[in-house]
Amino acid sequence: MMVTVALFGVLTLVALAPIAIALSGKPNATGFVYGACLIVTLVMFLVALHSLLEQPAASTITLPLGLPWLGAHFRIDPLSAFFLVVVNLGAAAASLFALGYGRHEEAPQRVLPFFPLYLAAMNLVVLADDAFSFLLSWELMSLSSWALVIADHRRAENMRAGYVYLLMASFGTLTLLLAFGLMAGGDGAYAFDAIRAAHPTISTAALVLILALIGAGSKAGLVPLHAWLPLAHPAAPSHVSALMSGVMTKVAVYGFIRIAFDLLGAPQWWWSLVVLALGGVTAVMGVLYALMQRDLKRVLAYSTIENIGLIFASLGLALAFKAYAMDVAAALALTAALLHVFNHSLFKSLLFFGAGSVLTATGTRDMEKLGGLIHRMPQTAFVFLIGCTAISALPPLNGFVSEWLSFQAILLSPQLPSWGLKLMVPAVGALLALSAALAAACFVRAFGIVFLGRPRSSEAAAAQETDTNSLAAMYALAATCLIAGILPGIFIDALAPVVQVLAGARMPVQTGAEWMSIVPIAESRSSYNGLLVFAFMVITGTATAFAIHRFASDKIRRGPAWGCGYPDASPLTQYSASSFAQPIRRVFGSLVFRAREIGTMPPPGSRAPATLTVQLRDLIWDTLYAPIATAVGNIAERLNYLQFLTIRSYLTLVFAALVILLTVLATWP
Amino acid sequence: MQGITFDIAHMLAGSLVLVSFIQLYQQRLSALLNIFALHAFVLALSVAWQAYVQDAPHLYITAIIALVFKAIVIPVALRRIVIRLGIHREIENVFGVGLAMLLGICLVALSMVVMLRVTSGADPLAREDLAFALSVVLLGMLMMVTRRNAVSQVVGFMSLENGLVLAATGAKGMPLVVEISIAFSVLIAFIVIGIFLFRIRERFDTVDMQAMDRFRGEQR
């Protein structure tokens, strides 16, 4: 029943694509398409929420589409219901935001047809219940988002981003295809039910896990498969960036969870080593990259990589606990991962919306040209600050809850029997702690440079507050962030059916605890109360403000900033994005990015300015991607002459190939 | 009865391979066209025999198509083209009759080994038939590769297609519509190729493929 409603929603979204084409050029096309998307995704959000909370039995349907002997299977179980909630909440927020943001687009007809298609594809991936529909929807998701990435096709960097994205997406799908092929076996049993019932050998299962990790990881942005993500996510229009970063990476996480926790059966303990290591490295690398960027949207894209690392680390931990049948601990780690999936989709969408509003208001994403926007765009600044606080994992917001749960799970790791994991998990924990601290620095930098200080360009000085629809979307997300932060127990309990299915246990019921605390394991061990923290902050803040204004002066006085004795300092002498990151660049960058600072001082008497140039090298690109690109280029160069052969030579080639294949067939043992 | 049906089918398919070999060493175009007509005629006989053996009346239609189009219409038309182009006495540079025959023998041996291995357990009549058919296909390709003249490449292509029809009729239960569509596609290919031959001739004064390679600036 539920799945039928969801499929109708998907069908409506697909039908919106041709309508958008038909409407192209009409002045109200933008409003109509995004409005329709908003309504449909809201309905689907409610359907998914209903399936998640009311927990009706898994709802399935088989349509006579796709492979003739297979059909197209769709299913809503708790896991897909949860991800449907994430997808459609993000999609509804993006549609609402786009109602305002979309008006400023230069060529809306390049975005409108693909946007509903993209939403439909993400829903279909989560709904699919056989490998064929899954891969088909996955490819549709890649292709439609690719079309959105190159919507602004006149900029060469966007086209390059689209190219890299397309390559990585096909590579990822290829590995997923191989993974599903291995799981389905020689008989082609592609329905997930059949895959679940089959028991792959240990080596096959390990191979499938690695392939799934590569396939889903390349879509989610695991280092070192992340190369496309910071190029493609910022290139798309901002509401699409929010969807790609906030939602599509989560769909990739869904793919990994579906394979690793559901389809593959019992995990081996060493799987978790791989996932944990990749997660930890991804978290630190992602945030270090983010700190080095000047482009606001690229900072956010790299920060997505960091959060994906955190999620995968928690998933790895859950795999480890599950392999040793420590179900309660596995449930805790898995809850942390899923809650972070939900939280990250909220605040990353919020931050991308904020970046989009800034982009519309100033026309630039370069942080070195922004500044002082808190005066021009106070409401955007307020919600952006909430997003920054949440993503920096500061209480009482939601980011803190999920990261805290992750660390609670890490603190359980000494109970693991394997020495490899006993040593590995604390190391990963240290990496995550480092990345959390760096993420806070990163978002202090992002907010401080963009919204505080004085404007660094005339565009920033002339910025206007964004429109009501965009603000409504951002306020809604910010409010959800706050609610999820101060009342996390409700959200943890809502995740219980998902975790119950995947980990075999669930976390203790949270909503009954006193004062709305959350208690992951036992009260004697640890507990957290977001509501009390929030109440404390509100009360002390109000009391302090009252005390200052009551007992000191209640006048707001504006004076000139202390300019260190230099008269009329230019705004360019403020802290810049690069100079803020300099200490961190000096500590980590010389190792990770081979950062070099080259300063030139003009000789005495010369009037040339002194310069300081910073050189950063992307070692992952240089050592992994560049050699592959060079090798492919060389081979293509060598084989180029095959394009200019005579007809007879081509015939001979075909003939020789046929004869060789037949000979192989004849001599095959 | 089983013995004699098998023997006759075997003989007809074997003759088709034999005629393919005869095609390989023809040095004049008019002779080649005659042999091609013979090739198609043997094919028609073979298909008709299969129709009788398998008791499949629609295969008679295939046989008639083979007879009318491939044994009569196409050779006659090609002959007219050749005569109008004035190349019916053309002597082609086949690379050595001996070498071509040796290669052909190797190909037949290869197709026998492959087919007899792959189809073990199938109906022996179908197995032999498929092995011969693959030989005919390979010999047709060999001819396309070793000839320089466009017309003889066309003939090579047509005899290759004869091999496909032989394979198709050897397998029981082949729908008629497939054969008809193959026959028509070959006919259309023939028309297109015929038109192109004249266009090539108009432009280059020859249908020797080497001339076209020269024109593309690739002397070899």
Side-chain angles (χ1 to χ4, degrees):
Chain A
M1 167 57 197
M2 283 299 148
V3 72
T4 320
V5 180
L7 282 178
F8 267 111
V10 169
L11 199 64
T12 321
L13 287 173
V14 172
L16 274 175
I19 295 177
I21 296 174
L23 286 178
S24 79
K26 301 267 169 49
N28 49 6
T30 311
F32 175 76
V33 172
Y34 289 129
C37 284
L38 173 63
I39 294 168
V40 174
T41 48
L42 269 183
V43 170
M44 292 177 70
F45 168 69
L46 292 177
V47 167
L49 203 60
H50 176 75
S51 330
L52 182 65
L53 296 181
E54 302 300 316
Q55 307 165 33
S59 152
T60 59
I61 192 171
T62 308
L63 300 179
L65 302 169
L67 295 181
W69 66 90
L70 185 66
H73 300 250
F74 296 99
R75 181 163 183 258
I76 295 188
D77 58 358
L79 178 64
S80 46
F82 167 67
F83 276 92
L84 279 178
V85 167
V86 172
V87 167
N88 287 306
L89 185 59
S95 307
L96 178 58
F97 177 77
L99 274 176
Y101 180 80
R103 287 186 212 291
H104 309 292
E105 259 166 355
E106 286 172 28
Q109 69 275 18
R110 292 186 175 280
V111 176
L112 287 182
F114 300 111
F115 185 77
L117 208 59
Y118 178 47
L119 300 183
M122 287 194 293
N123 275 305
L124 275 179
V125 172
V126 181
L127 285 170
D129 194 35
D130 67 81
F132 184 78
S133 329
F134 183 91
L135 286 173
L136 202 68
S137 326
W138 185 275
E139 274 299 79
L140 183 64
M141 177 175 84
S142 301
L143 271 181
S144 50
S145 56
W146 170 77
L148 292 167
V149 165
I150 59 164
D152 183 7
H153 65 117
R154 288 197 179 77
R155 298 175 62 171
E157 60 183 77
N158 289 0
M159 291 308 283
R160 176 165 177 269
Y163 178 67
V164 176
Y165 178 33
L166 205 58
L167 281 184
M168 291 300 289
S170 358
F171 172 70
T173 312
L174 175 69
T175 55
L176 280 183
L177 179 72
L178 294 177
F180 279 119
L182 279 175
M183 281 192 287
D187 306 331
Y190 288 112
F192 282 175
D193 279 340
I195 294 178
R196 254 178 229 119
H199 293 287
T201 60
I202 291 178
S203 53
T204 315
L207 196 56
V208 168
L209 182 94
I210 300 295
L211 287 170
L213 195 59
I214 295 175
S218 73
K219 186 61 111 193
L222 272 189
V223 171
L225 301 163
H226 68 287
W228 63 275
L229 192 147
L231 301 174
H233 285 191
S238 293
H239 56 299
V240 180
S241 306
L243 279 177
M244 291 180 78
S245 246
V247 177
M248 189 171 70
T249 52
K250 308 307 177 300
V251 176
V253 171
Y254 163 80
F256 181 74
I257 295 180
R258 180 60 85 190
I259 293 176
F261 285 82
D262 187 13
L263 299 180
L264 265 186
Q268 300 290 311
W269 71 270
W270 63 266
W271 293 0
S272 55
L273 279 185
V274 184
V275 182
L276 272 168
L278 277 178
V281 170
T282 303
V284 173
M285 288 304 290
V287 73
L288 279 179
Y289 275 112
L291 270 163
M292 300 300 134
Q293 305 303 318
R294 286 174 55 174
D295 180 332
L296 180 58
K297 282 173 81 174
R298 192 166 286 185
V299 170
L300 297 178
Y302 273 118
S303 140
T304 297
I305 296 176
E306 182 237 329
N307 284 280
I308 288 295
L310 180 65
I311 292 168
F312 268 88
S314 303
L315 287 178
L317 207 54
L319 275 177
F321 288 128
K322 198 182 168 194
Y324 287 112
M326 299 163 67
D327 287 344
V328 179
L332 172 59
L334 197 59
T335 308
L338 292 177
L339 195 59
H340 201 67
V341 162
F342 177 71
N343 289 340
H344 183 249
S345 80
L346 292 177
F347 46 66
K348 188 47 62 76
S349 300
L350 168 59
L351 290 171
F352 263 112
F353 293 164
S357 303
V358 170
L359 177 62
T360 317
T362 63
T364 181
R365 310 191 311 226
D366 187 352
M367 285 158 61
E368 310 285 28
K369 295 205 172 74
L370 298 171
L373 290 178
I374 196 169
H375 300 296
R376 314 288 314 183
M377 310 171 71
Q379 308 210 42
T380 308
F382 175 65
V383 286
F384 198 88
L385 181 61
I386 291 183
C388 286
T389 320
I391 202 169
S392 309
L394 296 179
L397 290 165
N398 57 352
F400 176 78
V401 179
S402 42
E403 293 208 18
W404 184 74
L405 285 180
S406 297
F407 284 107
Q408 293 303 317
I410 286 172
L411 291 178
L412 287 179
S413 67
Q415 299 174 11
L416 285 166
S418 144
W419 274 100
L421 282 168
K422 267 190 215 246
L423 296 175
M424 179 86 169
V425 176
V428 172
L431 285 179
L432 294 187
L434 174 65
S435 72
L438 289 175
C442 175
F443 281 94
V444 167
R445 170 176 178 260
F447 185 80
I449 302 295
V450 173
F451 288 99
L452 304 182
R454 284 184 292 155
R456 294 177 177 80
S457 66
S458 52
E459 289 86 2
Q464 292 290 322
E465 182 59 273
T466 187
D467 56 280
T468 2
N469 283 323
S470 305
L471 278 176
M474 290 192 275
Y475 271 115
L477 287 178
T480 323
C481 279
L482 187 64
I483 293 171
I486 58 179
L487 300 172
I490 301 171
F491 293 81
I492 292 172
D493 281 352
L495 286 173
V498 188
V499 176
Q500 179 75 48
V501 172
L502 296 179
R506 52 163 293 170
M507 282 177 62
V509 178
Q510 305 291 339
T511 35
E514 291 172 12
W515 288 92
M516 310 296 284
S517 296
I518 53 169
V519 185
I521 305 147
E523 194 144 14
S524 58
R525 199 178 170 104
S526 56
S527 65
Y528 166 68
N529 192 320
L531 190 62
L532 278 187
V533 174
F534 181 62
F536 174 76
M537 289 170 89
V538 169
I539 293 169
T540 51
T542 321
T544 314
F546 175 79
I548 288 174
H549 287 295
R550 178 68 185 82
F551 297 117
S553 160
D554 57 350
K555 291 192 177 62
I556 296 175
R557 190 164 55 94
R558 284 196 181 220
W562 166 239
C564 303
Y566 292 96
D568 190 26
S570 150
L572 293 178
T573 58
Q574 301 174 94
Y575 253 107
S576 68
S578 307
S579 60
F580 190 92
Q582 191 196 36
I584 292 167
R585 193 172 67 230
R586 288 199 171 159
V587 174
F588 297 100
S590 53
L591 178 69
V592 182
F593 302 111
R594 298 279 153 81
R596 287 176 59 201
E597 294 179 6
I598 302 166
T600 52
M601 286 298 277
S606 162
R607 301 181 72 183
T611 59
L612 177 71
T613 325
V614 178
Q615 288 182 339
L616 295 177
R617 279 182 59 198
D618 189 342
L619 287 183
I620 294 173
W621 183 273
D622 290 352
T623 54
L624 188 65
Y625 289 88
I628 294 176
T630 321
V632 170
N634 280 339
I635 294 171
E637 194 92 355
R638 298 267 164 82
L639 296 181
N640 192 26
Y641 84 98
L642 281 181
Q643 304 242 359
F644 305 102
L645 295 181
T646 62
I647 297 174
R648 226 164 59 84
S649 319
Y650 283 126
L651 282 175
T652 316
L653 275 182
V654 172
F655 184 57
L658 180 63
V659 168
I660 288 172
L661 287 179
L662 285 176
T663 319
V664 169
L665 191 63
T667 53
W668 196 259
Chain B
M1 187 59 194
Q2 181 61 38
I4 191 78
T5 46
F6 177 78
D7 286 344
I8 291 180
H10 204 160
M11 185 195 77
L12 287 172
S15 325
L16 204 61
V17 178
L18 195 65
V19 179
S20 285
F21 269 104
I22 300 175
Q23 278 185 344
L24 263 185
Y25 67 81
Q26 294 308 313
Q27 302 212 340
R28 295 196 180 191
L29 279 179
S30 48
L32 180 64
L33 291 177
N34 288 339
I35 301 300
F36 173 65
L38 178 64
H39 198 265
F41 178 68
V42 175
L43 174 76
L45 277 185
S46 170
V47 173
W49 182 251
Q50 289 284 356
Y52 172 67
V53 171
Q54 298 179 14
D55 197 17
H58 67 268
L59 282 184
Y60 286 117
I61 301 176
T62 313
I64 291 169
I65 292 175
L67 189 68
V68 173
F69 283 124
K70 292 195 183 136
I72 300 172
V73 176
I74 292 181
V76 168
L78 271 178
R79 180 179 303 278
R80 287 183 54 188
I81 291 176
V82 165
I83 291 175
R84 273 180 63 189
L85 292 173
I87 53 171
H88 54 290
R89 285 168 203 270
E90 197 119 310
I91 293 174
E92 297 190 357
N93 289 323
V94 187
F95 62 77
V97 171
L99 187 55
M101 299 302 269
L102 270 181
L103 282 177
I105 289 168
C106 293
L107 289 178
V108 173
L110 177 67
S111 61
M112 290 291 169
V113 174
V114 169
M115 274 306 165
L116 296 187
R117 270 179 65 113
V118 171
T119 60
S120 59
D123 177 24
L125 183 57
R127 286 176 76 187
E128 296 289 337
D129 224 28
L130 282 177
F132 283 129
L134 185 61
S135 312
V136 174
V137 169
L138 288 178
L139 288 173
M141 286 195 87
L142 182 64
M143 185 152 141
M144 289 179 79
V145 171
T146 53
R147 299 295 170 114
R148 295 229 165 83
N149 187 299
V151 176
S152 49
Q153 283 183 353
V154 172
V155 171
F157 174 70
M158 298 279 169
S159 62
L160 183 156
E161 197 271 338
N162 284 351
L164 291 183
V165 173
L166 182 67
T169 54
K172 281 180 189 166
M174 179 83 169
L176 181 63
V177 63
V178 176
E179 288 156 30
I180 290 182
S181 57
I182 290 179
F184 271 98
S185 62
V186 167
L187 202 64
I188 288 167
F190 167 73
I191 294 167
V192 173
I193 291 170
I195 294 170
F196 264 97
L197 280 180
F198 279 103
R199 302 296 308 237
I200 292 169
R201 164 71 176 225
E202 263 174 41
R203 187 62 60 90
F204 299 106
D205 285 333
T206 175
V207 284
D208 189 335
M209 284 301 172
Q210 272 196 316
M212 294 176 69
D213 298 345
R214 275 197 295 279
F215 180 73
R216 294 191 348 168
E218 282 159 29
Q219 186 69 53
R220 45 177 65 206

